[in-house]
Amino acid sequence: MPSFSEILQRRTIFRDKDVLSPHYVPDVLPFREGEVEKIMLVLSGALKGMRAGNLFIYGKTGTGKTCSVRHVMKKFMQMESPAKTVYLNCRIYNSKYKVMHKIAKEFIPELEKSGFGISLIYEKLIEWLAGGKIQLIVVLDEIDMVKDLNELVYTLVRTNDELLGGGISVVGISNRLSFKEMLDPRSKSSLCETELTFAPYDAEKMKAILKQRLEQGFVQGAVDESALNLAAAIAATESGDARYALRLLLRAGEIVDAGGGQRIDDSHVEEARRSVEGDMIKEVIQTLPENQRIVLYAVANLSQKGGRYSKLGGNEDGENFLLSGEVYEEYSRVCNSLCVKKRSARWYREYLNELEMLGLITTIESGRGMRGHTRLIKPGYPAEELKKIVWETMGLEEEGKKKEK
Ligand SMILES: Nc1ncnc2c1ncn2[C@@H]1O[C@H](COP(=O)(O)OP(=O)(O)O)[C@@H](O)[C@H]1O
Ligand SMILES: [Mg+2]
């Protein structure tokens, strides 16, 4: 077994791994100068003692929304002013109560403990804001995760009507544009006073962003130019997500380190891509309800065995579509073998919709020639991999093994 000092002495191509982490906020944010300025403009009123505007920021994952806002907050706090900001990730603070409590305890020590009623929290907050004539900016990141969002927005905005001095403004950030439709018209018009959209990065921008990071993150010469281009191109075409691009480089570096190499080349990036993709699929599958995972397993398993649709000659060009009915039969069979209560066909269709939205399966409507219309289904990733991940996340042995011994 190695000692710590041996491990510490191992060669590594990383200079500072933290720089490559998605939580790192770089000092300079290329290509977001315009967005950063706009956020500053909206918030600047608060520094003069006026209520800042509300702002809604939308953009796909990894387009730099969080780091841009964080960057502005940092600058904001460096200014002399009674104005305050607070940042909340609504994945964690996902209800009106949790948000209100977190805001209050950030500034009012006596509310540190839990168990206070919402009206007390609210009163104390108003007292504090009015007492110090404080302009408070509340940043709600991933705001679509809040369950009672309308009430939350309403409560925060209404606070201003009760205040003579001081005020609250809200910066909401979301990856999902459709979330706006969840808001009732009043909340929507308050929250979306000003809107800002972050466009995905193309390959060239992605490359520049990666370059800035890898100069700090890796030792000099550790990343081939062509590997850098490849990572940027993969991330740009797949999603425009800079977080994914960084993850690719980080993983590629780990692969090189593990093999005792000194440079990341194209092959490492390719390997990292497969590995990161596997991780991401796993993260998604882990959050699915058990029955839905079984449906996914049924799709994967049947597509390996070859379904009836293939046998009917329905598939061309190596496509491997399955009939919705046969997948449901397979799903029922697996439920039986696992002693899981199967859900009705209506639920099953709902599961298919969600699996498709997550990209785990692809479905199309059957063309003419079939009896009526039916849905045709195929897995969105290699079947073998999906099956393996489903079992892993369920903490089970492989199905075949279990049954056949
Ligand atoms: N313009 C940029 N310059 C440098 N790094 C960036 C830029 N945009 C995004 N990043 C990096 O990409 C990752 C994801 O950014 P983030 O702000 O978390 O995206 P979002 O909140 O839109 O999902 C972070 O590590 C961030 O530092
Ligand atoms: Mg974010």
Side-chain angles (χ1 to χ4, degrees):
M1 233 178 262
S3 68
F4 269 125
S5 38
E6 274 163 355
I7 288 181
L8 289 174
Q9 269 165 23
R10 276 185 194 159
R11 290 182 68 112
T12 170
I13 61 168
F14 290 106
R15 194 199 305 271
D16 183 358
K17 244 184 183 177
D18 286 347
V19 175
L20 300 166
S21 125
H23 304 292
Y24 178 83
V25 182
D27 290 332
V28 218
L29 294 171
F31 317 115
R32 291 302 182 216
E33 293 91 353
E35 287 81 356
V36 164
E37 185 174 339
K38 187 144 186 202
I39 302 168
M40 289 173 76
L41 218 64
V42 173
L43 302 190
S44 59
L47 293 170
K48 293 189 288 188
M50 297 177 322
R51 196 180 73 77
N54 296 324
L55 174 64
F56 174 62
I57 297 177
Y58 160 74
K60 288 196 181 152
T61 310
T63 50
K65 301 179 299 296
T66 300
C67 64
S68 298
V69 170
R70 286 286 212 183
H71 179 83
V72 171
M73 286 175 77
K74 205 163 130 191
K75 290 190 174 190
F76 189 93
M77 296 313 282
Q78 287 163 357
M79 300 293 289
E80 285 287 314
S81 145
K84 301 270 184 225
T85 64
V86 56
Y87 172 92
L88 291 88
N89 188 316
C90 300
R91 256 177 214 285
I92 301 163
Y93 303 99
N94 62 358
S95 69
K96 172 179 150 184
Y97 181 82
K98 287 183 187 164
V99 168
M100 295 302 289
H101 184 228
K102 168 72 180 164
I103 298 172
K105 77 177 183 192
E106 188 81 11
F107 303 106
I108 310 167
E110 62 182 286
L111 296 181
E112 196 79 36
K113 285 191 236 120
S114 51
F116 295 103
I118 187 86
S119 44
L120 178 84
I121 292 175
Y122 187 67
E123 257 169 51
K124 291 276 178 197
L125 196 62
I126 292 205
E127 226 175 81
W128 172 73
L129 289 165
K133 294 209 181 336
I134 289 161
Q135 293 296 338
L136 175 65
I137 292 158
V138 179
V139 178
L140 299 172
D141 203 350
E142 315 214 26
I143 187 170
D144 45 296
M145 305 299 275
V146 178
K147 282 174 254 156
D148 42 4
L149 185 58
N150 282 311
E151 285 95 281
L152 173 65
V153 173
Y154 177 67
T155 304
L156 289 172
V157 172
R158 188 191 53 173
T159 311
N160 292 307
D161 302 336
E162 297 192 17
L163 283 170
L164 284 173
I168 289 189
S169 47
V170 182
V171 176
I173 307 175
S174 174
N175 298 330
R176 290 195 299 145
L177 188 57
S178 61
F179 125 90
K180 252 170 68 174
E181 308 319 317
M182 284 158 41
L183 290 169
D184 67 33
R186 195 173 40 178
S187 308
K188 189 158 131 186
S189 68
S190 338
L191 179 62
C192 306
E193 219 168 34
T194 310
E195 289 186 45
L196 185 55
T197 308
F198 280 57
Y201 299 116
D202 62 20
E204 211 173 305
K205 290 182 176 149
M206 197 70 88
K207 183 179 171 185
I209 291 171
L210 286 179
K211 201 157 185 160
Q212 175 199 25
R213 293 286 258 274
L214 65 87
E215 274 160 13
Q216 294 166 270
F218 288 100
V219 300
Q220 208 178 354
V223 186
D224 267 0
E225 181 80 8
S226 93
L228 170 62
N229 285 333
L230 182 61
I234 292 174
T237 41
E238 284 189 4
S239 52
D241 176 350
R243 184 180 297 116
Y244 177 57
L246 286 163
R247 221 165 143 175
L248 278 180
L249 275 188
L250 184 67
R251 184 64 52 88
E254 285 166 354
I255 292 168
V256 170
D257 266 3
Q262 291 172 38
R263 276 174 86 86
I264 298 179
D265 65 27
D266 288 18
S267 73
H268 301 118
V269 174
E270 287 292 356
E271 197 180 331
R273 172 200 206 159
R274 286 189 294 274
S275 157
V276 169
E277 189 173 272
D279 284 358
M280 298 202 309
I281 301 172
K282 192 165 169 183
E283 280 161 25
V284 173
I285 292 179
Q286 252 160 0
T287 64
L288 300 177
E290 186 176 50
N291 266 282
Q292 202 164 358
R293 284 186 230 176
I294 299 176
V295 171
L296 180 61
Y297 173 80
V299 172
N301 198 34
L302 207 55
S303 89
Q304 276 187 321
K305 292 196 278 192
R308 281 204 294 275
Y309 190 58
S310 289
K311 289 166 196 150
L312 291 170
N315 285 311
E316 290 162 31
D317 303 332
E319 297 248 69
N320 200 5
F321 278 107
L322 305 163
L323 297 165
S324 174
E326 62 184 343
V327 172
Y328 189 69
E329 283 166 27
E330 172 72 0
Y331 158 70
S332 311
R333 183 192 69 73
V334 181
C335 282
N336 244 334
S337 97
L338 295 176
C339 301
V340 170
K341 192 169 178 298
K342 81 166 190 207
R343 310 298 299 259
S344 68
R346 200 181 62 78
W347 273 99
Y348 164 70
R349 283 193 295 275
E350 209 37 58
Y351 289 152
L352 290 181
N353 291 340
E354 280 173 33
L355 289 172
E356 174 155 47
M357 239 169 52
L358 295 167
L360 292 168
I361 61 169
T362 308
T363 78
I364 56 170
E365 288 294 322
S366 69
R368 273 173 300 154
M370 297 287 301
R371 285 160 288 133
H373 278 286
T374 182
R375 217 157 151 185
L376 300 174
I377 306 164
K378 69 173 184 182
Y381 293 95
E384 190 58 46
E385 201 178 330
L386 288 178
K387 281 169 61 174
K388 208 176 109 218
I389 296 174
V390 169
W391 290 129
E392 255 174 49
T393 61
M394 289 174 53
L396 286 171
E397 268 186 88
E398 200 185 320
E399 198 211 351
K401 264 193 209 150
K402 258 190 82 178
K403 274 184 52 192
E404 287 149 24
K405 290 254 160 63

